[in-house]
Amino acid sequence: MNRTRLLVTGLVLSGLLGLIDVISLPFGDGEHPPVAVAVVGAVLGLITLVGAVLAWRGSRAGAVAVIVTRLLSGLSAVPAFFADDVPGALVGAGAFALLVTLAGVALVASALRTRAVTEG
């Protein structure tokens, strides 16, 4: 897989989000997000980081891992938009993170799609 600007940008965005997921685990209050969600997010973040390193080295499976884990992480934030007890600042931060997640996924996916088109 060629390391294009789009792929690099997507991997950097996704890697930063994965890193935030991992390092934010000890800073939660146990309520926002709930501990189980924070642990799952940290695991997904760790898998994202490993996938980003592998994708950086040209691994298609690494890029797929980044896409899947970022989408799952984004989905884990969706309930915050509908819960009444979530502070507005956290809802805003979640919305921003979700937009960045979608951008990162789109950029990494475009690199996979480009390879598939050129090989096919």
Side-chain angles (χ1 to χ4, degrees), residues 32 74-87 90-92 95 98:
H32 304 102
L75 282 175
S76 73
V78 171
F81 301 123
F82 303 104
D84 294 332
D85 63 337
V86 178
L90 291 179
V91 172
L98 191 56

Side-chain angles (χ1 to χ4, degrees), residues 3-114:
R3 209 176 331 155
T4 64
R5 282 188 206 159
L6 293 177
L7 176 62
V8 169
T9 304
L11 290 175
V12 168
L13 288 174
S14 298
L16 288 173
L17 289 170
L19 185 61
I20 290 169
D21 284 349
V22 171
I23 64 174
S24 66
L25 179 62
F27 298 110
D29 63 2
E31 243 183 277
H32 304 102
V35 175
V37 173
V39 169
V40 168
V43 170
L44 290 172
L46 189 58
I47 296 169
T48 297
L49 292 172
V50 171
V53 169
L54 294 173
W56 189 273
R57 295 178 178 172
S59 169
R60 188 171 175 83
V64 171
V66 168
I67 291 169
V68 170
T69 56
R70 287 294 85 211
L71 288 175
L72 290 173
S73 181
L75 282 175
S76 73
V78 171
F81 301 123
F82 303 104
D84 294 332
D85 63 337
V86 178
L90 291 179
V91 172
F96 178 75
L98 191 56
L99 289 174
V100 175
T101 294
L102 293 175
V105 165
L107 291 170
V108 174
S110 70
L112 290 177
R113 190 175 31 236
T114 301

